[in-house]
Amino acid sequence: MQTVPDRIQLVAVHRRGLGVARSCVAGAVGVLVLFASSCSPTDFFATRVEGRAEQETELSDCEAAYQGAQLDDAALRTAISSAQRAMSNRSARQHWLDVAANCTGRFAEGSMNSALASFRLSQIESSSAFQASLAALPSDAIASSGFTESEAAAIALSEDRTAFGMEVLAARNGGSANLLALSDNHKSLAQSLVALHPKASDPRERVYSVQNLLSHPQTITDPSTGLEMTSSAQLEMDNARAIIEAVSSTQQVTDNARNATQQRQALQIASQLAASRAFTAFALGYPAFNAAVLRTES
């Protein structure tokens, strides 16, 4: 008489035998299918299109940049050390610049968020925000920017107006060396922009209306947000907004004077410039939080 363990063992052997038999049958069928498919492949299965799946899942430049920026923000929220926060802000600074250059309709959002990340990073590292604002844009960047005549003229006018305003504030605040240095920086950039299109009319003016600055040499209220800040910070933020306005429309269509690659290059330089001017505004006292800078920009 068979015991229970013996019956279990016998059943197991029987099942293994069935498995082997089924494998043999499957193998035979496989040989037949292979033989048939060699005669008429399309009758049996659709051939995988090489690279198709990869292309369908590959992110665009805009999607990759925006996803990276979102991951940076998530990492920043969960960071528990200054080193982690610094790393997240450093990465976010570049990802948001990439968003500005590659995502249609997100130029302002990308530029301003990059500026916020830069300012947070300067606070973590205790670096000189003033010196960083002067060195934020490489000296040869404008020459290779590819700005159109209208873009260069609009930005040059804003830069020159800001330079004039800084001189006025410096005079009203005891000849501030920092404000004068900023004024010189804006003048230099305006000159570089004008030089891009030497045959075009120079948009700069001899003098600008500064009545509001004379009435508010220390602090002023931003009409866009209703927030109070230093007058110099307001000048810088107005300049950043002017840069954004000058180039945002170029994301909608490719200009006849340049191809898509040249247009992206122009947007990259413009986003760096707008972010550097907004960063300076934060360093001078503009409220550094999203609602203050994206309410009118997005």
Side-chain angles (χ1 to χ4, degrees):
M1 180 179 294
Q2 292 179 329
T3 64
V4 173
D6 291 335
R7 287 199 297 271
I8 292 175
Q9 185 176 8
L10 183 61
V11 171
V13 171
H14 178 65
R15 286 179 177 174
R16 283 200 298 271
L18 289 177
V20 171
R22 286 170 182 166
S23 298
C24 292
V25 173
V29 173
V31 171
L32 291 174
V33 171
L34 178 62
F35 175 78
S37 66
S38 65
C39 299
S40 180
T42 56
D43 292 338
F44 290 90
F45 58 87
T47 304
R48 176 184 179 276
V49 179
E50 186 176 357
R52 183 175 185 178
E54 290 82 353
Q55 291 176 356
E56 290 175 348
T57 58
E58 185 178 355
L59 297 178
S60 67
D61 290 341
C62 169
E63 291 169 334
Y66 194 77
Q67 183 181 89
Q70 295 301 307
L71 291 174
D72 293 331
D73 287 351
L76 183 61
R77 288 193 295 271
T78 59
I80 59 175
S81 69
S82 59
Q84 290 175 325
R85 291 193 296 273
M87 183 172 62
S88 297
N89 280 306
R90 191 175 293 108
S91 179
R93 175 176 60 186
Q94 184 57 52
H95 275 136
W96 280 117
L97 287 178
D98 292 339
V99 167
N102 292 289
C103 299
T104 301
R106 292 189 180 275
F107 183 82
E109 179 186 2
S111 300
M112 289 298 182
N113 276 315
S114 179
L116 286 167
S118 293
F119 184 64
R120 289 193 299 262
L121 181 61
S122 72
Q123 291 182 309
I124 294 169
E125 296 180 337
S126 299
S127 57
S128 171
F130 175 73
Q131 292 300 324
S133 66
L134 293 179
L137 197 68
S139 58
D140 60 344
I142 295 301
S144 62
S145 65
F147 287 150
T148 63
E149 184 177 318
S150 61
E151 289 170 345
I155 299 173
L157 177 62
S158 179
E159 288 288 324
D160 195 59
R161 182 188 297 113
T162 304
F164 189 84
M166 287 295 179
E167 283 188 340
V168 171
L169 291 179
R172 295 298 299 270
N173 289 279
S176 170
N178 284 349
L179 294 182
L180 289 174
L182 284 173
S183 177
D184 290 341
N185 183 266
H186 286 294
K187 283 182 182 178
S188 177
L189 187 62
Q191 179 58 45
S192 297
L193 287 160
V194 170
L196 283 178
H197 301 280
K199 295 183 179 180
S201 300
D202 191 334
R204 293 172 293 182
E205 301 175 11
R206 291 184 179 275
V207 294
Y208 299 88
S209 175
V210 291
Q211 188 60 43
N212 201 29
L213 291 178
L214 294 175
S215 302
H216 303 87
Q218 302 294 332
T219 60
I220 198 169
T221 299
D222 182 0
S224 298
T225 63
L227 298 172
E228 187 177 27
M229 65 209 60
T230 64
S231 299
S232 56
Q234 176 69 63
L235 276 179
E236 290 290 351
M237 186 55 71
D238 283 345
N239 187 28
R241 289 169 175 158
I243 296 167
I244 289 170
E245 183 179 354
V247 301
S248 289
S249 60
T250 64
Q251 289 189 305
Q252 306 302 323
V253 293
T254 301
D255 193 279
N256 292 331
R258 61 192 181 193
N259 58 37
T261 301
Q262 293 170 328
Q263 178 174 301
R264 189 177 296 108
Q265 169 72 3
L267 289 170
Q268 288 172 342
I269 299 301
S271 64
Q272 290 180 47
L273 180 57
S276 74
R277 295 328 191 192
F279 171 86
T280 306
F282 299 143
L284 292 171
Y286 197 97
F289 57 91
N290 290 63
V293 296
L294 295 177
R295 181 180 301 176
T296 58
E297 291 5 283
S298 56

